[in-house]
Amino acid sequence: MGNRSTKSKNRSISNSPTDNQSIIMVNCCGLVSEKNEPVPLKSISVELQVRDHVASVRSCLQYVNEEERPLEAVFVFPLPADAAVCHFSARIGEQEIVAEVQDRQSARDQYDDAVSSGQQAFLLEESEESSDVFKLSVGCLSPGQNASITIVYIIELSVQADHALRFCLPAVLNPRYTPAASAAGVPEVSSASVIPYTLSLSVEVRSSDRISRLESSCPLDPLEFLDAQHTHASVNLSPGHRFDKDVELFLYYENSHQPSAEVEAAAPAAPSGSLMGDPALMISLYPEFPADVMSSLASQGEFIFVVDRSGSMDCRMHHGNDAQMRIESARDTLLLLLKSLPMGCYFNIYGFGSHFESFFPQSVVYSEDTMEEALKRVKSMSADMGGTEILQPLKHIYSQPCYPDHPRQLFIFTDGEVWNTKEVLDLVKSHVYSHRCFSFGIGEGASTALITGMAREGSGHAQFITGTDRMQPKVMQSLRFALQPAVDNISVDWTVPEGVTVDMLSPPINALFQGQRALIYAQIKGQSSGKTEGAVTVKYRLKDQPVTNQLQFTLKPTEDTGLTIHQLAARSVIRSLEQEERAGGADTENIRKRIVELSVQAGVSSAHTAFIGVNKDSKQTVKGPLLQRSVPVARMFQMSAMRCAPMRMCANSHDTLRSAIVFKRKKCSAAMAPQMAFCSAMHEAEPQKDPLLQLVSLQKAAGFWELNASLAAVFGKTEDQVTNQKAAQVDVSVWATILALIWLYAFKSDQQDEWQFVAMKAASWIRSQKREMIFNG
């Protein structure tokens, strides 16, 4: 959080290794730590209100000082990286203290002065190193006193592969790895294996679309619809939940890809011309690309896979009995990726920890030989490289020249425990025009600031793998995005009545993906005496084809939206300014002033401001030495609770995948009709090793399979049984490849997202074979 004033430093909390391994227990004094220190935070209640794809989250934290001396409680906790914290207040007895946003140092000084003089004070500040970590200080609670702290933030819900909207209430905050030579880093975290405070969660959803269902990683009460149209619903987290793991919610609408536009009225007291003093517009678009363009994926590119091999990757994905180690799941995923790459592309694999290494000195052409060499090294990959330092391998990758006509695609796998998040993001952004970055956060506690930030700055896509989620389907979705033809020449045009202008507040759109939402924030200036309609047009080129997406909208403000759109827009502008400031230059001080002014005006958090509240009307000044208590949060490595996130799979239909079987029927049906019954004889008994990965591992780089005992074993047959079913005139490799496709469709259709590219390569290989080769001349 940076340096505090002298008074603050004298009160700083030191977390020893013993603190980070504290066990919470109960005795006659209430909840205490291993050191017999009472824990002042007793419960957290959360109210989640969702309106279409935006969520407002109100968290109420109950503190009690059960000691005989005045107390200061410090709570370092995670929030989603893209959240805009917009309210902070405290209630003591009947009195409510609403905090104000002020310059960070001014707020710290005010807090220190108040606490030093015995006044009650409350400080909420964002980490200067990572936007997903906050520190809450509750100062000068008298013995026996209760305090209720309320924090409100708003956030856009992310779109998942199966079109669900995802909300995550993070509980796990893993300590960020900091090299010994560095003094920077996020604040010290006090953690525990059993969390001493409880969580209650209520959810209310209002939507312009019908609500289909709501799923969660944790037990919920039944969903209750509050209207006949199923556009208003509520649900609660089942009682008794201990806040020892992230709570994920997945919201499904019937028509989730409907574009929308909302205009929000200006803040009444704000000056006209300012961001808060004019109407704000939020546009939500879902680009749909022409089917003929999307039917053929790119066959060129440079694919670089960067895998975290730090010690934390040797932890389990979750705490179920069948949980893989994170590094093991990464190895399986690399197998799928390597088998799915197109022939003729370039690739390389990096491992990183306290140092880094690459499989090849520079990216190599994808062939049978290079693929097999890489697979041998993947099998021996371990989580044995120490800490988590991602900056140096990225610098090395960016220093390598790109290959002409082979766009660079970077895939980064990490559990996200780094200390220099903003420096990493700035590096990725500085190379945005030479690559796309796809990032994957593995396990709970992965930094949302790092994972979402790398994808945003690298014009890619971010995925999180938590609970019992499988890594492979999410990674393969991102591979599909990477193989999607690049979108360029993106422009946004506005059509509005005379007298009205629109200023874009969002950063320029650098990436568009099929079916993925693109959000645009804008400020509407001026007034029109006549027309009240406007339109936004997004134009771009896709494979040299011009594409246009247009959305009409009304300039009339939507009722009852409060200032949500304004504050999200302000958050977007602040993030852009913060990055501009870090880039350096002569105007740095003016940029900082603009950040502070906008943060104060909009009432949202930033790296240069903090929320400060002081109870100046307290009737009695608290006397005596001030105790310090650190409130623990969950750590992934120590949690003993069973993960309960459901496996979620989206199996889309891909006509291209089926072309091999269609081809086979047209060309081979006469010669092979008696053998078609063979597929029905393949039994479903599976060996202990994952048969899908076993089958994929046997595929050649060109896309075909050889007929051998290993392939037959996947089918539950002997090599002779498989060979005897082949017609004499049919080529052995064609027969083996067709059987592999039949097996995939027959027995692994629910995992189609994982093997879709393997099957596409196989179908393409069969189509490339000459008729005489298929039928042995």
Side-chain angles (χ1 to χ4, degrees):
M1 290 280 181
N3 294 326
R4 298 286 295 273
S5 66
T6 304
K7 285 175 286 189
S8 174
K9 288 179 182 177
N10 290 338
R11 296 186 292 97
S12 64
I13 295 175
S14 173
N15 291 317
S16 66
T18 307
D19 292 327
N20 283 341
Q21 298 168 4
S22 60
I23 305 297
I24 304 301
M25 61 194 75
V26 178
N27 71 358
C28 59
C29 299
L31 291 163
V32 297
S33 71
E34 188 179 56
K35 293 184 175 181
N36 211 35
E37 295 173 344
V39 176
L41 179 59
K42 301 304 176 185
S43 67
I44 301 177
S45 62
V46 179
E47 295 177 6
L48 171 64
Q49 292 188 327
V50 178
R51 181 166 180 152
D52 292 324
H53 56 261
V54 173
S56 173
V57 187
R58 176 179 292 268
S59 299
C60 185
L61 295 79
Q62 297 290 341
Y63 286 86
V64 180
N65 182 5
E66 297 177 334
E67 303 192 45
E68 297 178 356
R69 292 162 58 188
L71 177 73
E72 178 188 32
V74 178
F75 186 24
V76 178
F77 60 97
L79 282 182
D82 296 327
V85 178
C86 56
H87 175 87
F88 175 46
S89 63
R91 178 174 291 277
I92 300 177
E94 297 299 318
Q95 187 169 14
E96 183 178 23
I97 302 100
V98 178
E100 299 176 347
V101 179
Q102 296 185 10
D103 176 88
R104 178 194 287 267
Q105 192 57 53
S106 173
R108 286 174 170 174
D109 291 342
Q110 192 174 341
Y111 176 84
D112 291 334
D113 289 340
V115 172
S116 297
S117 63
Q119 285 183 308
Q120 292 153 348
F122 311 89
L123 181 69
L124 179 66
E125 50 187 334
E126 177 185 314
S127 166
E128 290 175 313
E129 294 298 329
S130 188
S131 61
D132 62 345
V133 180
F134 280 74
K135 181 179 180 182
L136 169 62
S137 301
V138 180
C140 248
L141 283 182
S142 304
Q145 194 167 51
N146 294 276
S148 177
I149 307 296
T150 299
I151 300 170
V152 179
Y153 66 86
I154 49 180
I155 189 169
E156 306 146 357
L157 300 181
S158 60
V159 182
Q160 303 301 290
D162 61 355
H163 312 310
L165 295 176
R166 176 183 180 264
F167 169 76
C168 179
L169 186 66
V172 178
L173 176 58
N174 290 333
R176 270 47 169 177
Y177 172 78
T178 305
S182 173
V186 299
E188 290 278 355
V189 181
S190 177
S191 58
S193 58
V194 179
I195 297 303
Y197 41 87
T198 59
L199 170 73
S200 65
L201 172 66
S202 64
V203 182
E204 183 179 11
V205 182
R206 292 180 183 270
S207 173
S208 54
D209 189 15
R210 281 177 64 90
I211 302 164
S212 175
R213 67 186 189 277
L214 193 150
E215 297 177 354
S216 176
S217 60
C218 296
L220 296 176
D221 292 343
L223 182 66
E224 180 181 358
F225 288 103
L226 304 177
D227 66 349
Q229 294 75 33
H230 285 199
T231 59
H232 186 195
S234 67
V235 70
N236 295 321
L237 187 68
S238 297
H241 180 77
R242 288 282 175 181
F243 201 15
D244 56 358
K245 57 180 172 289
D246 294 352
V247 178
E248 288 183 293
L249 298 174
F250 301 96
L251 176 61
Y252 295 82
Y253 295 135
E254 286 193 0
N255 299 293
S256 58
H257 279 198
Q258 285 294 106
S260 63
E262 272 195 82
V263 176
E264 185 175 79
S272 179
S274 66
L275 188 153
M276 303 301 290
D278 287 329
L281 171 65
M282 180 172 65
I283 299 286
S284 179
L285 294 174
Y286 292 87
E288 294 295 336
F289 300 159
D292 59 328
V293 174
M294 296 306 298
S295 61
S296 59
L297 298 177
S299 58
Q300 294 178 310
E302 179 191 13
F303 299 88
I304 302 177
F305 306 111
V306 184
V307 182
D308 189 341
R309 291 178 56 185
S310 63
S312 56
M313 288 290 288
D314 208 25
C315 295
R316 294 186 179 275
M317 293 290 293
H318 58 91
H319 281 257
N321 293 331
D322 58 344
Q324 280 186 306
M325 294 298 181
R326 294 178 183 179
I327 192 67
E328 184 182 357
S329 183
R331 286 198 299 264
D332 289 348
T333 302
L334 283 173
L335 166 64
L336 273 176
L337 284 167
L338 286 171
K339 293 291 185 175
S340 300
L341 292 179
M343 289 292 286
C345 73
Y346 289 80
F347 80 101
N348 204 349
I349 298 176
Y350 282 71
F352 72 93
S354 300
H355 59 285
F356 71 90
E357 62 183 30
S358 60
F359 282 15
F360 307 101
Q362 60 188 29
S363 296
V364 295
V365 175
Y366 179 76
S367 66
E368 183 66 29
D369 290 340
T370 56
M371 181 195 74
E372 287 299 330
E373 182 180 348
L375 284 173
K376 288 178 183 177
R377 297 193 63 175
V378 166
K379 290 177 182 177
S380 62
M381 282 177 58
S382 301
D384 55 0
M385 296 183 71
T388 310
E389 296 187 46
I390 195 173
L391 194 65
Q392 294 308 314
L394 288 178
K395 286 182 176 180
H396 184 267
I397 290 167
Y398 293 142
S399 71
Q400 301 285 319
C402 295
Y403 292 93
D405 301 321
H406 287 272
R408 178 170 286 172
Q409 315 281 2
L410 195 59
F411 285 67
I412 300 177
F413 302 83
T414 179
D415 51 16
E417 299 159 24
V418 302
W419 60 279
N420 53 348
T421 299
K422 292 182 180 179
E423 191 176 357
V424 171
L425 300 188
D426 291 343
L427 178 65
V428 174
K429 184 177 179 64
S430 68
H431 294 274
V432 65
Y433 296 109
S434 63
H435 83 301
R436 286 193 292 185
C437 182
F438 299 86
S439 53
F440 305 88
I442 303 172
E444 294 180 348
S447 169
T448 59
L450 178 70
I451 303 304
T452 61
M454 285 191 296
R456 180 181 63 249
E457 305 305 345
S459 298
H461 189 254
Q463 301 267 24
F464 289 88
I465 300 101
T466 59
T468 56
D469 283 348
R470 282 175 60 82
M471 189 184 299
Q472 289 86 344
K474 294 192 174 187
V475 173
M476 301 315 286
Q477 184 204 23
S478 291
L479 180 60
R480 171 169 280 276
F481 287 154
L483 291 171
Q484 169 191 302
V487 174
D488 55 20
N489 295 335
I490 302 172
S491 66
V492 179
D493 299 316
W494 302 91
T495 304
V496 290
E498 187 176 350
V500 177
T501 60
V502 177
D503 288 352
M504 277 231 345
L505 300 174
S506 305
I509 301 175
N510 293 322
L512 290 172
F513 296 108
Q514 167 76 9
Q516 290 294 298
R517 185 182 64 214
L519 276 176
I520 300 172
Y521 293 104
Q523 181 177 351
I524 301 174
K525 297 182 176 181
Q527 288 186 340
S528 170
S529 57
K531 296 180 180 179
T532 59
E533 298 292 322
V536 58
T537 304
V538 179
K539 298 179 180 179
Y540 47 89
R541 294 189 68 81
L542 183 68
K543 246 187 161 180
D544 295 325
Q545 290 188 26
V547 182
T548 299
N549 292 143
Q550 189 176 72
L551 178 65
Q552 306 284 335
F553 59 89
T554 177
L555 296 173
K556 183 179 179 181
T558 307
E559 296 180 1
D560 301 327
T561 56
L563 294 174
T564 299
I565 295 175
H566 282 82
Q567 290 172 325
L568 285 172
R571 179 66 162 168
S572 176
V573 174
I574 287 170
R575 285 291 176 245
S576 297
L577 289 172
E578 288 173 348
Q579 194 158 49
E580 188 179 342
E581 178 194 24
R582 293 195 301 273
D587 206 30
T588 302
E589 186 57 35
N590 285 333
I591 293 173
R592 185 188 183 282
K593 288 180 180 178
R594 288 174 60 195
I595 292 171
V596 173
E597 287 173 3
L598 182 55
S599 177
V600 171
Q601 183 190 86
V604 297
S605 57
S606 77
H608 293 307
T609 55
F611 284 87
I612 175 68
V614 177
N615 186 3
K616 297 178 181 179
D617 299 327
S618 55
K619 298 177 181 178
Q620 182 178 343
T621 303
V622 178
K623 301 292 185 182
L626 198 63
L627 295 175
Q628 293 147 357
R629 295 290 178 257
S630 183
V631 178
V633 295
R635 275 183 65 186
M636 178 65 192
F637 311 133
Q638 296 170 321
M639 288 189 294
S640 58
M642 183 78 72
R643 296 298 188 276
C644 47
M647 182 184 296
R648 301 169 59 255
M649 192 78 64
C650 174
N652 298 318
S653 173
H654 300 292
D655 293 337
T656 310
L657 301 183
R658 303 185 184 276
S659 60
I661 296 178
V662 173
F663 176 91
K664 185 257 319 163
R665 286 173 180 163
K666 288 180 180 178
K667 299 289 187 181
C668 313
S669 57
M672 298 168 56
Q675 287 76 26
M676 283 299 295
F678 177 80
C679 66
S680 63
M682 296 179 187
H683 62 70
E684 298 186 44
E686 296 182 347
Q688 288 187 345
K689 184 177 179 181
D690 185 346
L692 174 59
L693 292 177
Q694 197 172 0
L695 179 77
V696 169
S697 69
L698 297 172
Q699 189 186 34
K700 299 300 181 181
F704 66 90
W705 277 268
E706 293 178 340
L707 186 53
N708 52 35
S710 297
L711 181 65
V714 175
F715 303 150
K717 298 287 183 180
T718 66
E719 184 177 357
D720 287 343
Q721 286 176 310
V722 176
T723 305
N724 292 339
Q725 294 292 326
K726 183 184 75 68
Q729 65 269 44
V730 176
D731 177 79
V732 174
S733 293
V734 171
W735 172 242
T737 303
I738 290 172
L739 289 181
L741 287 170
I742 292 173
W743 185 88
L744 287 170
Y745 280 106
F747 301 119
K748 293 296 176 183
S749 60
D750 62 333
Q751 293 177 246
Q752 189 168 321
D753 279 355
E754 301 182 34
W755 51 259
Q756 56 180 314
F757 296 109
V758 167
M760 289 174 74
K761 283 176 70 173
S764 178
W765 179 82
I766 292 174
R767 289 195 304 270
S768 71
Q769 303 305 297
K770 295 180 180 179
R771 180 182 175 86
E772 57 269 22
M773 290 182 63
I774 293 177
F775 294 103
N776 289 326

